[in-house]
């Protein structure tokens, strides 16, 4: 049975490690949309979770996994879909995989988007390919009777992902681009207050760059809505063992800790994230974080 | 069936494979992928007296066949470790090699004492002393570069730990003469040595024209450093054969990603093998390497893992 997905290792009830043959790979604007056969992951995944893939093949000198939020799953067909932006050599290798080439995937990983009990309205905001998990989320929300609006933003039209798909799964769609090549010229945060006001949304779900997630959180707070943000942190392992993906988040006890985005996230309550610590491509440890370096100490 | 058991200073383990400190958290995360009690021992993340946030990010940079990290010894502190992490490890039947550190020799001893006051202390098969951490008395230079500072730490830990429990000193390769440091640690009461910790490296973010890592420099690990590990193990084992230093077990670590890599470290002189960075690529790497090693030994007609330890040394080949 060549080309079939099969598990690599022992898998617990909530995670799997699979060799996943590529079923299709198509360009989608500036990105590549891959469908792979990974039945164990497809059966377990929920919107907001991600998969981590090795890159470069068995003799690769690139050791670290690359993480991708799950765009869609089909548990019956046993398939998982991801949207990949070719940032550098590793992600480019993934976009170059063809049908029957195999990806080594671990997943589903991380915390899913929290779902409301039902009814009400939600706004889903995606920056660039960060919109990938939102369409599946929209479908799940609408099954629960939630009114769903989607806002997609990117630098330019080719960097938007899923505009047509959004129209199929949402009650309303807004598009922004920095250069005005599609939709409203500007940022998602320019249109968000109006979308929130007209929809009366109680929940905002967002995925994209840190600066956008911060702006979305601020707009949501101003409108009295809860922000659920999925971060795109650099992750070396995706499974919680390397401690490279940490970010400062306020816990239930009110104290800030450097927590693992791959394990405690990628979805966080926006108002729990210490946005003040991020800037210029760096994230500092806030002085009041548990175990923060003390002057004269470590 | 090959006899995979190995004896480390009186502690007999069912097989020589271990996780590497800081590359496996404290067990729960990997236990989702394989039963961690299958390992010869589970090596825990270095624990210090108090909780530590570690450094800001980026903390990691991928490099050819390796990576740089500047985690900064993030951890919950010894109280939480002794009360929560260690009992969990004991509950799943793991044999624990507990990695400890401190800013002064006294702090190391306090951590060891507190560790052994845990209700789960019986699960501790040994203590790995991470001397590659900043020495408060020498403005952040690590203990591991100085034979006297290294010996002071080992002596303090040895005094705090019952004699039956082996103490391993984990050494840094970033020294002029590794044998001198090994000698100082064994002289101060270490029962064995773990070779090697990461080697210092650096990467520059050319777009922002500044150091890539928040910590500026970082520890290099992964297959890129395997030849350094093989060299370090070889040099120290050769000094033991030459009777320049007492003979003691060596735990090898550095760049192991396959059974063949593990065999190479063993042949250089390692009685046990840790798998670190390879776990980030493959969460089952430690047990996969174990299975591959068992297969290789069988293929080559070895009856026991012990037969390949230091097998590449002329002193062993003459026997
Ligand atoms: C992310 C990371 C964190 C580490 N943390 C520790 C640590 O807390 N204590 C320690 O003794 N070694 C630590 N190490 C070093 C490893 O235990 C090991 O000695 C080194 O990485 C070489 O082995 P490898 O090439 O198999 O990773 C760390 C290594 C990495 C990559
Ligand atoms: S990516 Fe390794 S701990 Fe999160």
């Amino acid at each position: 049975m060549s080309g079939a997905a099969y598990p690599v290792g022992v898998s617990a009830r909530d995670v799997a490690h699979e060799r996943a043959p590529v079923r299709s790979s198509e360009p989608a604007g500036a990105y590549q949309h891959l469908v792979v056969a990974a039945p164990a992951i497809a059966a377990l995944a929920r919107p907001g979770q991600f998969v981590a893939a090795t890159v470069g093949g068995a003799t690769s000198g690139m050791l670290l996994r690359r993480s991708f939020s799950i765009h869609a799953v089909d548990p019956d067909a046993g398939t998982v879909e991801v949207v990949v932006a070719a940032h550098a050599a590793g992600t480019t290798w993934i976009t170059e995989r063809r049908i029957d080439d195999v990806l080594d995937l671990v997943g589903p990983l991380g915390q899913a988007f929290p779902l409301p009990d039902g009814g009400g309205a939600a706004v889903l905001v995606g920056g660039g390919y960060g919109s990938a998990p939102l369409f599946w989320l929209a479908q799940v929300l609408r099954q629960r009777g939630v009114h769903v609006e989607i806002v997609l933003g990117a630098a330019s039209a080719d960097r938007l992902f899923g505009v047509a798909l959004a129209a199929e799964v949402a009650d309303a769609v807004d598009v922004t681009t920095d250069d005005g090549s599609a939709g409203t010229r500007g940022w998602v945060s320019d249109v968000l207050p109006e979308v929130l006001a007209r929809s009366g949304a109680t929940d905002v779900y967002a995925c994209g760059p840190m600066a956008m997630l911060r702006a979305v959180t601020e707009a949501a707070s101003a409108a009295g809505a809860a922000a659920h943000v999925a971060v795109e942190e650099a992750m070396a392992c995706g499974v919680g063992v390397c401690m490279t993906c940490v970010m400062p988040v306020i816990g239930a006890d009110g104290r800030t800790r450097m927590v693992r985005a791959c394990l405690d996230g990628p979805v966080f309550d926006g108002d729990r994230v210490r946005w003040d610590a991020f800037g210029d491509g760096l994230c500092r440890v806030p002085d009041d974080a548990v175990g923060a370096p003390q002057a004269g100490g470590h | 069936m090959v006899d995979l058991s190995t004896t480390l200073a009186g502690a007999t383990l069912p097989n020589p494979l271990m996780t590497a400190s800081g590359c496996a958290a404290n067990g729960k995360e990997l236990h989702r992928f394989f039963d961690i009690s299958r390992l010869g021992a589970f090596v825990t993340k270095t624990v210090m007296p108090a909780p530590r946030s570690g450094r800001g990010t980026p903390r990691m940079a991928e490099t050819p066949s390796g990576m740089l990290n500047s985690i900064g010894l993030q951890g919950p502190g010894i109280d939480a470790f002794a009360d929560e992490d260690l009992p969990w490890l004991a509950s799943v039947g793991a044999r624990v090699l507990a990695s400890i550190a401190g800013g002064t020799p006294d702090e190391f001893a306090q951590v060891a004492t507190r560790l052994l006051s845990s209700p789960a202390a019986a699960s501790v098969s040994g203590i790995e002393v991470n001397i590659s951490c900043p020495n408060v008395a020498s403005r952040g230079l690590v203990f591991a570069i100085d034979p006297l500072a290294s010996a002071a730490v080992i002596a303090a830990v040895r005094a705090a730990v019952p004699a039956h429990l082996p103490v391993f000193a984990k050494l840094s390769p970033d020294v002029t003469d590794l044998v001198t440091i090994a000698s100082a640690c064994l002289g101060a009461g270490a029962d064995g040595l773990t070779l090697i910790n990461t080697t210092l490296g650096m990467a520059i973010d050319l777009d922002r024209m500044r150091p890539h890592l928040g910590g500026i420099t970082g520890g290099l690990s992964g297959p890129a450093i395997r030849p350094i590990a093989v060299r370090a193990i070889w040099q120290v084992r050769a000094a033991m054969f030459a009777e320049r230093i007492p003979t003691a077990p060596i735990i090898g670590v550095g760049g192991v990603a396959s059974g063949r890599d593990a065999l190479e470290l063993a042949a250089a002189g390692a009685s046990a093998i840790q798998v670190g960075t390879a776990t980030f690529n493959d969460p089952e790497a430690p047990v996969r390497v174990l299975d591959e090693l068992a297969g290789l030994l069988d293929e080559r007609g070895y009856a026991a893992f012990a037969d390949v330890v230091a097998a590449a040394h002329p002193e062993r080949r003459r026997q």
Side-chain angles (χ1 to χ4, degrees):
Chain A
M1 232 183 83
S2 85
Y6 60 93
V8 180
V10 190
S11 64
R13 254 172 299 157
D14 60 344
V15 70
H17 183 180
E18 295 186 279
R19 289 197 200 291
V22 174
R23 290 288 180 244
S24 77
S25 177
E26 298 289 336
Y31 314 116
Q32 195 75 13
H33 175 188
L34 281 89
V35 181
V36 303
I41 297 173
L44 294 165
R46 287 173 296 133
Q49 291 187 296
F50 66 95
V51 290
T54 59
V55 294
T59 57
S60 174
M62 293 180 283
L63 302 176
L64 307 181
R65 282 183 183 260
R66 308 308 196 252
S67 291
F68 305 99
S69 69
I70 300 172
H71 170 49
V73 297
D74 182 338
D76 297 325
T79 54
V80 172
E81 302 181 31
V82 291
V83 177
V84 180
H87 287 298
T91 41
T92 299
W93 182 85
I94 292 187
T95 62
E96 289 167 349
R97 293 309 91 202
R98 293 297 164 251
I99 291 175
D100 289 341
D101 285 350
V102 172
L103 291 184
D104 178 315
L105 291 187
V106 173
L109 298 167
Q111 307 300 318
F113 286 114
L115 299 174
D117 294 337
V123 176
L124 283 45
V125 188
Y129 64 93
S131 62
L134 300 181
F135 313 100
W136 177 23
L137 174 66
Q139 288 168 318
V140 171
L141 289 170
R142 283 178 95 191
Q143 279 161 13
R144 294 179 170 233
V146 179
H147 171 88
V148 173
E149 303 207 10
I150 292 182
V151 180
L152 300 177
S156 53
D158 65 322
R159 302 203 161 262
L160 290 164
F161 175 78
V163 177
L165 197 51
E168 289 172 30
V169 298
D171 297 292
V173 181
D174 280 84
V175 171
T176 67
T177 50
D178 299 359
D179 65 358
S181 54
T184 307
R185 179 192 296 265
W187 290 357
V188 292
S189 48
D190 296 333
V191 302
L192 196 53
E194 189 193 316
V195 176
L196 288 169
R198 78 165 179 238
S199 63
T202 50
D203 292 272
V204 179
Y205 297 86
C207 187
M210 281 294 176
M212 187 201 95
L213 298 181
R214 178 181 193 162
V216 168
T217 299
E218 283 164 3
S221 302
H228 313 288
V229 302
V231 302
E232 297 168 350
E233 273 289 303
M235 296 178 181
C237 74
V239 301
V241 292
C242 73
M243 307 299 284
T244 63
C245 62
V246 298
M247 52 185 269
V249 175
I250 304 165
D253 59 357
R255 304 194 66 194
T256 297
R257 289 181 182 77
M258 297 298 281
V259 305
R260 286 165 286 185
C262 70
L263 216 61
D264 295 315
V267 178
F268 292 102
D269 286 350
D271 60 5
R272 294 272 163 190
V273 175
R274 290 291 299 270
W275 303 108
D276 57 311
F278 294 88
D280 194 23
L282 299 171
C283 175
R284 296 181 303 104
V285 178
D287 293 338
D288 59 348
V290 173
Q294 305 295 316
H298 52 262
Chain B
M1 271 300 282
V2 182
D3 174 5
L4 290 172
S5 68
T6 191
T7 302
L8 299 173
T12 299
L13 303 175
N15 69 67
L17 259 293
M18 302 178 175
T19 52
S21 180
C23 300
N26 283 333
K28 281 185 186 146
E29 296 81 357
L30 289 188
H31 201 63
R32 300 169 74 196
F33 294 94
F34 65 89
D35 178 354
I36 59 169
S37 72
R38 278 192 63 201
L39 295 166
F42 186 92
V43 187
T44 51
K45 169 92 191 144
T46 298
V47 63
M48 303 207 36
R52 282 170 67 106
S53 67
R55 292 212 180 82
T57 62
R59 289 176 166 189
M60 172 263 287
E62 191 175 52
T63 58
S65 292
M67 66 177 282
L68 291 164
N69 87 81
S70 65
I71 307 296
L73 292 170
Q74 177 167 355
I78 185 61
D79 286 340
F81 180 84
D83 293 343
E84 291 155 36
D85 297 300
L86 193 61
W88 183 84
L89 284 158
S91 76
V92 298
R95 285 162 293 276
V96 178
L97 184 57
S99 172
I100 64 166
T104 63
D106 260 2
E107 277 189 11
F108 276 85
Q110 283 161 24
V111 174
T113 304
R114 178 69 182 88
L115 171 75
L116 298 177
S117 76
S118 164
S123 63
V124 177
S125 298
I127 293 181
E128 187 175 86
V129 187
N130 177 8
I131 54 174
S132 299
C133 76
N135 177 356
V136 167
S138 73
R139 298 183 171 273
L141 286 179
V142 300
F143 291 95
I145 58 163
D146 175 357
L148 292 177
S150 298
V153 168
I154 299 300
V157 173
R158 186 67 278 176
V161 170
H164 69 86
L165 202 61
V167 170
F168 294 84
K170 183 169 178 182
L171 307 189
S172 161
D174 295 344
V175 295
T176 311
D177 180 13
L178 192 57
V179 172
T180 306
I181 310 286
S183 173
C185 290
L186 294 173
D191 302 284
L193 304 167
T194 301
L195 305 172
I196 55 174
N197 213 315
T198 54
T199 179
L200 211 54
M202 183 169 171
I204 291 178
D205 178 338
L206 293 177
D207 294 323
R208 295 187 163 94
M209 223 18 121
R210 69 182 186 205
H212 179 92
L213 296 174
I216 301 180
T217 60
L220 182 64
S221 65
I225 70 164
R226 197 176 72 237
I228 302 177
V230 173
R231 179 271 293 174
I233 295 163
W234 176 277
Q235 283 182 332
V236 172
R237 192 67 188 87
M240 292 175 182
F241 279 123
E243 295 178 7
R244 285 172 56 207
I245 58 174
T247 297
I250 295 170
I251 302 175
V253 52
V256 175
S258 70
R260 196 200 157 283
D261 302 341
L263 185 57
E264 189 179 13
L265 268 61
S271 300
I273 314 291
Q274 299 178 351
V275 176
T277 302
T279 312
F280 305 162
N281 177 267
D282 173 9
E284 291 104 29
V287 282
R288 178 178 51 75
V289 170
L290 171 61
D291 294 340
E292 289 173 2
L293 176 65
L296 272 179
L297 294 174
D298 193 36
E299 239 170 62
R300 289 163 190 244
Y302 288 103
F305 169 73
D307 297 341
V308 296
V309 175
H313 285 266
E315 292 82 351
R316 268 302 289 271
R317 282 190 280 122
R318 275 200 301 271
Q319 281 168 11

